[in-house]
Amino acid sequence: MADTVKAALMLGPGRMGMGEFPYPSPQPGAVIVKMEMSGVCGTDKHTFEGRSKQYAGTEAETDTPFPIIPGHENVGIVAETGGRVLDFYGKELRPGDRITWGPDLVCGKCWYCRNTFGYPWCESIKAYGNAFSSNDWPHLTGGWAEYMYLFPGTFIFKVPEAVTPEMAVMTEVFAVSYAVDKAKECYSLASEGFGAGAATIIQGVGPMGLMCLIKARILGAGDIIAIDKSPYRLAMAKKFGANYTINMDETSKEDRLLFIKDLTDGRGADLAVECAGSPHAFIEGLEMLRKGGTYIEAGNFVDTGETAINVNRHITAKNVRLFGVTNHPFTGYGPSLKLMERYADVFPFSEIVTHKYPINRAEEGLKRSFEPDTMKVVITP
Ligand SMILES: [Zn+2]
Ligand SMILES: [Zn+2]
């Protein structure tokens, strides 16, 4: 064990630094993890730009309590536990186990915890990598560090042997693709929701869009059309099962609508998943849907302003099924790990991590992740 632990700090919007903290001893039920890898997420970028309210619109809404140790998409090795600690499925954790864990701590007592499994609206939700100041004990509450402290009650998942750290670091993002499972629940003889052969549009194929694309492919999508501005990301989408790619910068909105109509005998797509994070993409996606189609809005995670929607044309006249997604249920972690294990030979999951930066170059990694020729950038000790 180390005496001190190095960590990358976000000191405030636009300001990164380094910190050194005492190696903590675990309280009963806590776990100390030796970090292997921690993703740079869109949320970290928003926080760095000073645009992030955590859990805006909920009881838990807060400003970021700088300084923080960022990092909520995590994988590491159990260093020690505070007594007997169980994983999400009731298996005992031992030193040496590779684990990943949910980024949110929930109370288990409020209405949302008791009725919706605590995601993501627990009235006192606390997120690793975002909601804890590194000034406060136990300091090590984000993944861009050598070690991390997991409080009792953290939802922890053992990583199967066939799943590499590069794959396991994607578990949280993959879990968000439960949105596609959610659409599947609505499939009926009237062909609503998402079903076998559904023409599926993924708007924005960054890491989250890519994971939704993979989920749609595994669940039986027909044609998958990936839309993005980055040729790099579009090429990757093809590798992961997109049949068609459309470059936003090389086409007009009319071109894109025409392409989708042509592909679907004039009807429009059965399902569209918005992962671009733009209110304009939201409108465009609705226009690309057929009547009775299904729309998943997952990308507008921060409030970037308003957009003009034609309620009749975009929603009512289409009988659209509309899902908003801000997070994932913790139950999504186990299935995500299983799918990565099962499909390890089908999808080149390990290629999703395109860039690795040590913690003392976290700022560089963070800035690099803004570039269009990256997929997942990770911080690794
Ligand atoms: Zn994230
Ligand atoms: Zn709660």
Side-chain angles (χ1 to χ4, degrees):
M1 307 298 160
D3 290 335
T4 56
V5 179
K6 287 192 182 66
L9 298 177
M10 201 180 283
L11 303 165
R15 288 191 303 131
M16 295 290 294
M18 283 292 289
E20 214 166 288
F21 301 94
Y23 180 92
S25 69
Q27 69 194 116
V31 176
I32 314 275
V33 195
K34 190 170 181 9
M35 288 302 303
E36 289 189 297
M37 223 168 262
S38 183
V40 179
C41 174
T43 315
D44 302 317
K45 294 189 245 180
H46 293 309
T47 307
F48 188 65
E49 291 170 331
R51 295 204 294 155
S52 206
K53 279 257 180 210
Q54 304 302 327
Y55 301 100
T58 72
E59 286 80 356
E61 177 168 336
T62 72
D63 290 320
T64 308
F66 295 114
I68 57 164
I69 303 175
H72 60 270
E73 302 168 0
N74 295 317
V75 56
I77 304 287
V78 174
E80 57 178 318
T81 61
R84 190 173 128 97
V85 183
L86 305 179
D87 79 350
F88 187 79
Y89 296 110
K91 289 189 194 120
E92 190 169 347
L93 293 169
R94 297 187 196 287
D97 285 346
R98 174 167 291 135
I99 56 170
T100 179
W101 53 96
D104 299 317
L105 279 166
V106 295
C107 75
K109 296 187 183 107
C110 68
W111 190 92
Y112 282 111
C113 276
R114 294 211 162 141
N115 291 279
T116 70
F117 213 10
Y119 69 91
W121 311 287
C122 167
E123 285 165 21
S124 42
I125 196 165
K126 291 275 260 178
Y128 290 120
N130 284 305
F132 297 93
S133 165
S134 63
N135 289 337
D136 302 332
W137 185 89
H139 313 292
L140 305 175
T141 47
W144 301 4
E146 292 172 316
Y147 287 87
M148 197 171 149
Y149 188 95
L150 308 187
F151 291 99
T154 302
F155 294 138
I156 300 173
F157 301 81
K158 289 199 197 200
V159 175
E161 213 156 289
V163 175
T164 62
E166 285 81 0
M167 294 159 78
V169 79
M170 296 306 298
T171 310
E172 195 253 348
V173 190
F174 202 15
V176 176
S177 77
Y178 91 102
V180 184
D181 300 76
K182 203 164 158 179
K184 194 164 146 266
E185 283 172 23
C186 301
Y187 195 65
S188 65
L189 290 177
S191 301
E192 292 179 321
F194 172 80
T200 302
I201 298 171
I202 311 283
Q203 299 174 273
V205 280
M208 193 167 78
L210 193 66
M211 297 322 274
C212 287
L213 189 157
I214 293 167
K215 180 63 77 64
R217 178 49 78 223
I218 289 174
L219 294 180
D223 284 330
I224 297 181
I225 307 99
I227 306 177
D228 204 288
K229 290 181 172 180
S230 156
Y232 181 90
R233 291 182 166 191
L234 288 171
M236 203 141 180
K238 265 226 141 124
K239 241 183 168 172
F240 280 84
N243 304 96
Y244 303 95
T245 57
I246 302 178
N247 189 321
M248 291 283 291
D249 286 339
E250 292 167 5
T251 51
S252 67
K253 186 175 169 185
E254 288 65 38
D255 294 337
R256 295 190 287 275
L257 286 174
L258 200 65
F259 181 86
I260 300 296
K261 293 256 168 179
D262 278 351
L263 197 65
T264 54
D265 297 326
R267 287 187 300 273
D270 301 300
L271 172 75
V273 188
E274 195 285 303
C275 295
S278 143
H280 304 291
F282 177 70
I283 301 292
E284 184 170 323
L286 284 167
E287 289 181 7
M288 287 173 165
L289 275 187
R290 69 163 165 83
K291 292 181 189 71
T294 303
Y295 197 61
I296 297 170
E297 167 47 51
N300 283 279
F301 194 76
V302 292
D303 187 343
T304 52
E306 293 177 11
T307 187
I309 186 163
N310 182 321
V311 180
N312 172 265
R313 192 157 67 95
H314 289 132
I315 308 280
T316 324
K318 279 202 163 169
N319 277 263
V320 79
R321 278 186 184 270
L322 179 60
F323 295 103
V325 176
T326 60
N327 207 325
H328 51 73
F330 298 109
T331 46
Y333 273 62
S336 294
L337 288 163
K338 275 216 170 82
L339 286 179
M340 287 194 278
E341 185 183 20
R342 172 73 49 200
Y343 286 89
D345 298 334
V346 179
F347 299 104
F349 286 109
S350 292
E351 292 179 23
I352 298 175
V353 171
T354 52
H355 297 77
K356 296 178 183 173
Y357 287 85
I359 47 179
N360 60 1
R361 288 170 59 207
E363 179 166 3
E364 220 180 310
L366 184 62
K367 286 179 176 158
R368 189 73 181 84
S369 76
F370 287 79
E371 302 298 324
D373 62 337
T374 59
M375 191 49 82
K376 181 54 82 179
V377 178
V378 298
I379 308 299
T380 167

Short mmCIF file of all heavy atoms in Angstrom, two decimals, residues 106-110 113 122-124, ligand 2:
data_model
loop_
_atom_site.label_atom_id
_atom_site.label_comp_id
_atom_site.label_asym_id
_atom_site.label_seq_id
_atom_site.Cartn_x
_atom_site.Cartn_y
_atom_site.Cartn_z
N VAL A 106 -26.90 6.24 -3.68
CA VAL A 106 -28.30 6.62 -3.43
C VAL A 106 -28.70 6.26 -2.01
O VAL A 106 -28.05 5.42 -1.37
CB VAL A 106 -29.24 5.96 -4.47
CG1 VAL A 106 -28.95 6.50 -5.86
CG2 VAL A 106 -29.13 4.44 -4.45
N CYS A 107 -29.79 6.89 -1.52
CA CYS A 107 -30.12 6.76 -0.10
C CYS A 107 -30.89 5.48 0.21
O CYS A 107 -30.87 4.98 1.32
CB CYS A 107 -30.89 7.99 0.38
SG CYS A 107 -32.61 8.04 -0.16
N GLY A 108 -31.63 4.98 -0.80
CA GLY A 108 -32.42 3.77 -0.56
C GLY A 108 -33.70 4.00 0.22
O GLY A 108 -34.44 3.06 0.51
N LYS A 109 -33.99 5.26 0.56
CA LYS A 109 -35.12 5.54 1.44
C LYS A 109 -36.17 6.46 0.83
O LYS A 109 -37.32 6.45 1.24
CB LYS A 109 -34.63 6.19 2.73
CG LYS A 109 -33.74 5.27 3.55
CD LYS A 109 -33.42 5.90 4.90
CE LYS A 109 -32.48 5.01 5.68
NZ LYS A 109 -31.12 5.53 5.75
N CYS A 110 -35.77 7.29 -0.12
CA CYS A 110 -36.73 8.28 -0.65
C CYS A 110 -37.70 7.60 -1.61
O CYS A 110 -37.55 6.43 -1.97
CB CYS A 110 -35.97 9.41 -1.34
SG CYS A 110 -35.13 8.92 -2.86
N CYS A 113 -36.03 6.17 -4.75
CA CYS A 113 -35.24 4.96 -4.46
C CYS A 113 -36.15 3.75 -4.29
O CYS A 113 -35.88 2.66 -4.76
CB CYS A 113 -34.41 5.15 -3.20
SG CYS A 113 -32.84 5.97 -3.51
N CYS A 122 -32.77 9.95 -6.97
CA CYS A 122 -32.71 9.88 -5.52
C CYS A 122 -32.57 11.30 -4.98
O CYS A 122 -31.77 12.09 -5.49
CB CYS A 122 -31.52 9.04 -5.07
SG CYS A 122 -31.16 9.22 -3.31
N GLU A 123 -33.36 11.64 -3.95
CA GLU A 123 -33.36 13.03 -3.47
C GLU A 123 -32.05 13.44 -2.82
O GLU A 123 -31.79 14.62 -2.65
CB GLU A 123 -34.54 13.22 -2.50
CG GLU A 123 -35.85 13.31 -3.28
CD GLU A 123 -37.09 13.13 -2.43
OE1 GLU A 123 -37.00 13.34 -1.21
OE2 GLU A 123 -38.14 12.78 -3.00
N SER A 124 -31.23 12.47 -2.45
CA SER A 124 -29.91 12.85 -1.92
C SER A 124 -28.79 12.11 -2.65
O SER A 124 -27.83 11.66 -2.04
CB SER A 124 -29.85 12.63 -0.42
OG SER A 124 -30.45 11.40 -0.08
ZN ZN B 2 -32.97 8.08 -2.42
#
